[in-house]
Amino acid sequence: MNSKPYLSKSRIMLARQCPKLLYLDRNHPELANISSSTEAAFAIGHAVGDIAQQIYGNDDAVLIQHEEGLGSALRQTEKLMKAGPSVPIFEATFQYDDVLVRVDVLLPDGNAWRVVEVKASTSVKEDHHIDCALQAWVIHGLGYPISTVSLAHVNNRFVYEGDGNYVGLVEEKDLTESVASLESDVPSLVEQAREALRGGEPSVDVGGHCSKPYDCAFITHCWPTDVEYPVTGLGGGRTKLGMLVGKGFRDIRDVPEERLTGASQQRIHRVTCDGNAEVLAAGVEFVTSLAYPRYYLDFETIAPAVPIWAGTSPYAAVPIQWSCHIESAPGDVRHVEFLDLSGEPPMRRLAAAMVECLESDGPILMYTRYEERVIRSLIDLFPDLARSLQLLVDRLVDLHPVVKQNYYHPKMLGSWSIKAVLPTIAPHMNYSNLEGINQGVAASEGFLEAIDLSTPVERRAELEEQLLRYCEFDTLAMMEIVWFFERHR
């Protein structure tokens, strides 16, 4: 193998997290498990990058084109750089010492360049400093002058006015001093990455680095998953779990009880070793005490980094849909739902319809406090509806802590999410069996696709059906959980 393999900035950052991660990414990409949340993060990054180009650009700005390959991008960049700092350049592409970087924004600043790296996060992270130092090292290595290096991140205090003007969406943090101090560390990072690619698969124990700073796409390759109850199902931090794996423990039942000190892990271990579900009387007593009518409520939201409606902010959860199963008496159930795919802001109509549906008495059941946060956000948006919405908040009952304190099944593998609980109490119901949209990220993406004017009518109808089915499934799942506890009276 080439003793000096080609490296991109992203691959050097992978090696910094874990040399084995880089090796697998380069040599065995088929082993990666790219989650929907990771794919969504990529899409968000592109969206923020596009807005940054609007903010930093002018009529003379140049976007380096990559359609014709890397060589063309490098030549385009070199030509512009040799002309001297004169116009903004986006996606400038540089290669030095077989290390490739693409710079989000280059701005002329006198006789030098101002480097701006754009991130979709809402703050500056530790790895962002290294990221920027890598870029500066390459640019300096090619002999180009830099005046400052900044990190532009999303400003979550920005409120969109609905006029297409996104100035203020990102805010800059000057990292020039930090980057200067880190540039001398870059050669060792580059060498570390090259070393990871020179031989066979590096031997690296699993641990906290598997999810920091980012979740590794190869976790299922490195962590034990070929057993019935993997050690990861104990929950808790990956550092301590990695220590158990390093000692040779793969299945929860293999771990000696004395190695577990936390109450939650001890409980998971005990129930898993027993092999039977644990249902405590307090949970049964709680659900049987719930008055009628019972309302089972669930929202779907979108939280785009780039707001699409006036009055909203980056990453703020904006409700776009709800489902409610109403149990007026045992066995007397009806379903009400709201979904507006017109593309107009749905929040006020959603809130008004919800107030009407939930009437004036009876517990409103939710799973985690998310629904409460959504309703409180509607209170902030519509002060004139505040009293009616606050009355709903006062009736909310969270099932999640009830379930967590009073139920565990070995197949839940340390998770009390509704998706983990449901198959163990209602085997006929499983989110994975839903066609198309079967998780929250997909619902958000599906909604945005459905309101896009370019989406064909047939596809929009398909998405509408999937969105309605998924949200209804959530409230039906809550009802099944309550019924499960009631059957244990």
Side-chain angles (χ1 to χ4, degrees), residues 292-294 326-333:
Y292 292 94
R294 299 170 177 176
I326 303 171
E327 189 179 14
S328 300
D332 182 5
V333 178

Side-chain angles (χ1 to χ4, degrees), residues 6-17:
Y6 154 81
L7 291 169
S8 64
K9 180 188 70 172
S10 61
R11 282 185 165 169
I12 294 171
M13 296 300 288
L14 290 180
R16 180 175 178 266
Q17 179 170 343

Side-chain angles (χ1 to χ4, degrees), residues 443-465:
S444 176
E445 292 175 343
F447 175 83
L448 293 173
E449 182 184 354
I451 67 172
D452 190 323
L453 295 178
S454 65
T455 301
V457 174
E458 298 79 7
R459 175 59 176 162
R460 186 176 291 113
E462 179 183 40
L463 289 166
E464 180 177 23
E465 180 183 355

Side-chain angles (χ1 to χ4, degrees), residues 188-204:
S188 63
L189 291 175
V190 172
E191 180 56 30
Q192 177 186 349
R194 286 176 176 149
E195 185 62 31
L197 297 176
R198 284 193 180 113
E201 182 175 318
S203 177
V204 181

